[in-house]
Amino acid sequence: MNELVDITELKLMQVSTATLTTVMFKRGLRNIFLQGVHRLRPGPNMVGVAYTLRYIPAREDLDKLTSFADRSNAQRKGVEECPPGAVFVIDARGDASAASAGCILAARLQARGCRGVVTDGGFRDTPEIASLEMPSYHARPSAPTNLTKHHAVAVNDPIACGGVSVFPGDIVVGDNEGVVCIPQHMANEVADEAAEMTVFEDFVMEMVKQGASTFGLYPPTDPSTMDRFKAWRQEKGR
């Protein structure tokens, strides 16, 4: 599995998914924000490398409680093999009528050094999952066991989650608004531009709060805007 460069990770920890979507739109990528996925508890950004699990609809002759004893069970195998620094991303086909996982598996992922867990379905035991330090994102709470609706079939294959293609090794970034998926090969340049864009946006926000008009400021079409920005940046040490 690919690893994040430390400086890239640090930059992605400081930028919003809103900024990232704009930076990636400039590169022609429009469908990179996971739809219908919400954070259980606000906190610092989640940044990690995608490690995936794919579900298909459950089938009654296969999906019984005894199937959890099978060490080849894809859900359990994925949890036990998910490497440190990863974000565990689950393709539940947007079906939150049964849980994608519960607090025990989430706690195990946290213990293994997982950076977060994301599903376009639901989690059970959500109060306990929300209490973990590891960020978690889902569509809504769902108490029924995954076996009632989901059959785990593949670990670390390309999946769909929230209507977005997620490939193993992609960089997954989450904030308190949602989750974006960045193709691994462009993560460094996206992080660099998003970090610079965030500094400028902070400048703009400060100016607007002081009463400035957005015309000529955002975007900076007035030639004096960038001069004021450079002075502000030097003053703030950014």
Side-chain angles (χ1 to χ4, degrees):
M1 187 179 74
N2 296 308
E3 295 182 357
L4 270 170
V5 177
D6 288 345
I7 189 64
T8 296
E9 180 179 347
L10 180 62
K11 289 177 179 178
L12 292 174
M13 285 294 296
Q14 306 300 322
V15 301
S16 71
T17 57
T19 297
L20 287 169
T21 59
T22 299
V23 170
M24 295 177 72
F25 176 71
K26 290 164 65 176
R27 288 163 172 76
L29 279 76
R30 294 173 171 80
N31 187 40
I32 44 84
F33 184 78
L34 277 61
Q35 298 298 311
V37 172
H38 312 286
R39 190 165 182 160
L40 271 72
R41 177 174 58 85
N45 276 16
M46 171 190 74
V47 180
V49 181
Y51 191 85
T52 65
L53 171 67
R54 180 165 61 90
Y55 283 128
I56 62 174
R59 206 173 76 181
E60 288 76 6
D61 62 323
L62 299 174
D63 296 294
K64 302 176 182 179
L65 287 173
T66 53
S67 66
F68 286 142
D70 184 354
R71 286 178 175 260
S72 67
N73 177 287
Q75 184 205 46
R76 300 305 168 91
K77 187 172 184 288
V79 168
E80 289 300 324
E81 295 180 358
C82 184
V87 173
F88 197 68
V89 186
I90 305 171
D91 174 2
R93 312 175 314 284
D95 185 352
S97 61
S100 294
C103 64
I104 292 175
L105 296 186
R108 176 59 177 157
L109 287 167
Q110 177 174 277
R112 288 189 54 78
C114 188
R115 297 290 179 81
V117 58
V118 180
T119 181
D120 58 0
F123 290 130
R124 66 196 309 199
D125 315 315
T126 52
E128 290 81 6
I129 293 177
S131 71
L132 297 174
E133 293 182 9
M134 179 184 69
S136 51
Y137 296 79
H138 72 160
R140 60 177 172 82
S142 187
T145 177
N146 67 320
L147 297 173
T148 63
K149 287 295 182 72
H150 303 306
H151 179 81
V153 291
V155 174
N156 223 26
D157 280 354
I159 62 169
C161 188
V164 174
S165 297
V166 180
F167 288 80
D170 283 347
I171 308 306
V172 182
V173 181
D175 63 6
N176 294 326
E177 192 161 39
V179 178
V180 298
C181 180
I182 306 172
Q184 194 276 336
H185 67 89
M186 63 172 60
N188 293 337
E189 64 181 74
V190 166
D192 289 344
E193 184 172 343
E196 286 297 302
M197 186 173 171
T198 297
V199 176
F200 180 69
E201 289 172 339
D202 290 347
F203 160 73
V204 169
M205 181 61 75
E206 186 172 315
M207 296 301 102
V208 169
K209 286 182 176 179
Q210 293 175 5
S213 168
T214 59
F215 289 123
L217 176 65
Y218 190 75
T221 54
D222 185 332
S224 68
T225 295
M226 294 312 294
D227 292 335
R228 286 183 287 134
F229 171 55
K230 289 176 183 177
W232 176 90
R233 192 167 192 176
Q234 185 172 13
E235 177 189 348
K236 301 292 183 180
R238 300 182 65 183

